[in-house]
Amino acid sequence: EKVWAVLTDFDKLAEWSPGMIHFEGEFRKDGPAKVTFLVGIGSHTQVFDHPLVHFEEGRMFGWSAPLPMVHMKDNHKYIVDPLEGDDTKCQFIQTDECQGHGAHLVGSMFANGMLQAYVKFNRALKKRVEEMEQREI
């Protein structure tokens, strides 16, 4: 619950996230959304229109949207997966799949860049959840 709460507190994303910094739209299955990301070095941002094609309240959300500049389509998910037998712990997973003509040409380079960004995001999310837990004590 705590990981989901931090992950979906979209008003505070920019305080801790090194990647996704803003979400605007309808947080529901097939809800239209605009998602803002920090990209590259510095404070350059990019906004994507991402309908939420993946959504399960309290567990998962994500999108599948075209990336025209690289002739690909991504299929990204954020998943909070409770650990069996332990209500206090979960596994956080980000998955992404790139499809299309560009995937054969630049897919591995693109995937490596995304992987690095996902690792940073995951670490920042973990840190933020731990900080929130410390404030509760």
Side-chain angles (χ1 to χ4, degrees):
E1 290 178 15
K2 292 176 185 178
V3 173
W4 182 259
V6 170
L7 179 64
T8 59
D9 186 355
F10 300 121
D11 291 335
K12 294 186 179 166
L13 273 176
E15 294 177 11
W16 63 268
S17 174
M20 180 173 58
I21 59 167
H22 187 69
F23 177 97
E24 178 182 328
E26 297 177 29
F27 194 59
R28 61 171 176 79
K29 176 85 168 131
D30 297 321
K34 288 184 187 240
V35 186
T36 305
F37 294 91
L38 284 175
V39 293
I41 299 172
S43 59
H44 179 71
T45 60
Q46 192 162 8
V47 179
F48 293 95
D49 287 317
H50 285 313
L52 294 179
V53 296
H54 310 291
F55 188 84
E56 185 179 330
E57 180 64 44
R59 184 171 180 276
M60 174 192 45
F61 71 95
W63 46 76
S64 183
L67 300 168
M69 65 277 198
V70 288
H71 304 286
M72 291 190 304
K73 179 179 180 179
D74 80 326
N75 187 29
H76 191 98
K77 296 177 189 174
Y78 297 90
I79 303 167
V80 178
D81 198 11
L83 294 182
E84 193 171 320
D86 189 343
D87 294 353
T88 65
K89 294 186 179 178
C90 71
Q91 181 177 14
F92 176 70
I93 304 164
Q94 281 194 75
T95 66
D96 211 331
E97 177 184 27
C98 296
Q99 302 169 331
H101 299 295
H104 302 292
L105 302 172
V106 296
S108 63
M109 182 177 67
F110 193 71
N112 287 334
M114 288 189 306
L115 179 60
Q116 291 174 14
Y118 297 164
V119 168
K120 288 178 185 175
F121 181 91
N122 295 356
R123 288 180 179 153
L125 175 61
K126 181 179 189 294
K127 181 180 177 187
R128 180 66 169 210
V129 170
E130 289 170 349
E131 289 171 353
M132 301 303 284
E133 287 176 337
Q134 288 298 315
R135 291 181 190 158
E136 292 175 3
I137 295 176

